[in-house]
Amino acid sequence: ASAGMMIVNKLVMRGSHLPITIVIIQMLFTVVTIVVVPGMRRAIRFGSARDVWRWTRAVPPLFALMLSTSMLALDHATMGAFIVVRNLAPVPALLSEAFIDRSLKIDLQTMLAMALSLAGVILYARNDLHSSPLGFLFMGINLCAAVLERLVQRTLIALDPIDVSKQGMMMINNGVGALLLVPLALSPTRFGELGHVHEIAAFDARQWALLLLSCINGVAISYAAIHLQKFVSASTLMVLANSNKFAVVAFGIFVLGESRSWQAVLG
């Protein structure tokens, strides 16, 4: 689902100039899905107001920042560049998590694996890292937001758990996150999209199908990430998310004509 989401998002972005609006649509789709699907609706539980506030004040802002900068990065950089930069995420996640979770052990094999990831990023960057300055900025912000979001979620789900069901967490993340992004989408800044909203009405059947597929993928990723976070560390989850991205890089090379030098492929 994660690899498919990035490919579909890139294809949707090629037909519009609405990265923030698309993220808002995906978030609202997730909220509606939770409310409409009986099994998910029955599982909603918010527990105490204090626990709801602990989650709301920390996770949705990071979640919204992570998703929005992901779309903006895809709009200003190649998928290969974005994937390779995101491969750095387990390194700061692991080092930070070691201070939060004392049971987490960092051994020699783990350090060697992290060093190999870093070497791959450097090799790719030295040969075929294609991105605008804005693309680099959004990739950097996205990396930081992703690491912080996973660490906070891990803490509130497994280390210092709150009394909110997983479906409740999904609703808060996507509902509050969508509300936080609306002012940005309507702003008069260069990231405002009010002047481009008419592009949605011009979508053809293929673009609507891609948007729907991205929304379904968004539900699957949101559900899986929150449920996995109880059982695996934040750094492990980020490694799992990166491990399926070979398909994304291959799609970028062979379908979209992105970087194809042997050094970049090896990296």
Side-chain angles (χ1 to χ4, degrees):
S2 178
M5 184 69 164
M6 186 163 291
I7 292 173
V8 173
N9 277 344
K10 184 68 173 181
L11 293 175
V12 172
M13 287 298 304
R14 297 184 87 187
S16 71
H17 300 86
L18 301 166
I20 305 300
T21 301
I22 290 170
V23 172
I24 293 172
I25 292 172
Q26 292 168 345
M27 287 177 153
L28 294 178
F29 183 90
T30 299
V31 173
V32 171
T33 299
I34 296 170
V35 173
V36 170
V37 176
M40 300 185 79
R41 184 175 65 248
R42 287 193 296 268
I44 297 173
R45 188 186 71 258
F46 289 115
S48 69
R50 178 178 178 273
D51 282 345
V52 171
W53 173 240
R54 286 179 64 200
W55 184 272
T56 303
R57 70 184 180 184
V59 182
L62 291 171
F63 184 70
L65 183 62
M66 179 180 68
L67 294 189
S68 59
T69 53
S70 173
M71 290 294 282
L72 289 166
L74 286 174
D75 198 30
H76 293 85
T78 64
M79 286 195 303
F82 184 52
I83 288 298
V84 171
V85 171
R86 276 296 297 269
N87 275 347
L88 288 172
V91 178
L94 181 64
L95 297 176
S96 301
E97 199 167 18
F99 290 98
I100 299 172
D101 185 359
R102 296 299 181 182
S103 65
L104 186 67
K105 303 299 182 184
I106 302 178
D107 54 22
L108 179 60
Q109 290 87 348
T110 302
M111 294 304 296
L112 288 175
M114 295 297 102
L116 184 61
S117 295
L118 180 59
V121 172
I122 294 172
L123 183 59
Y124 187 99
R126 286 176 61 87
N127 291 276
D128 281 297
L129 189 58
H130 297 304
S131 173
S132 68
L134 265 181
F136 282 117
L137 175 64
F138 289 132
M139 285 189 286
I141 296 173
N142 180 263
L143 177 65
C144 296
V147 171
L148 289 173
E149 193 259 356
R150 294 293 182 236
L151 290 173
V152 174
Q153 277 200 163
R154 171 66 175 172
T155 300
L156 295 177
I157 291 175
L159 305 180
D160 186 14
I162 60 173
D163 184 22
V164 177
S165 68
K166 305 300 187 296
Q167 287 74 14
M169 294 173 183
M170 289 173 62
M171 281 199 70
I172 296 172
N173 277 358
N174 289 277
V176 175
L179 290 175
L180 292 174
L181 291 178
V182 167
L184 178 59
L186 299 179
S187 71
T189 67
R190 65 176 298 173
F191 304 112
E193 299 174 359
L194 194 57
H196 296 284
V197 172
H198 65 276
E199 293 179 10
I200 294 182
F203 275 15
D204 57 23
R206 174 179 173 274
Q207 288 171 302
W208 280 113
L210 288 170
L211 181 58
L212 176 61
L213 184 57
S214 75
C215 290
I216 295 171
N217 259 325
V219 176
I221 293 170
S222 185
Y223 182 88
I226 285 180
H227 280 73
L228 277 173
Q229 199 73 86
K230 181 177 178 61
F231 304 104
V232 300
S233 67
S235 48
T236 299
L237 186 59
M238 302 200 85
V239 170
L240 290 172
N242 288 341
S243 64
N244 62 6
K245 295 302 193 299
F246 291 105
V248 179
V249 176
F251 184 87
I253 291 173
F254 297 110
V255 178
L256 302 182
E258 295 182 356
S259 305
R260 59 176 70 239
S261 70
W262 71 266
Q263 296 97 330
V265 173
L266 179 62

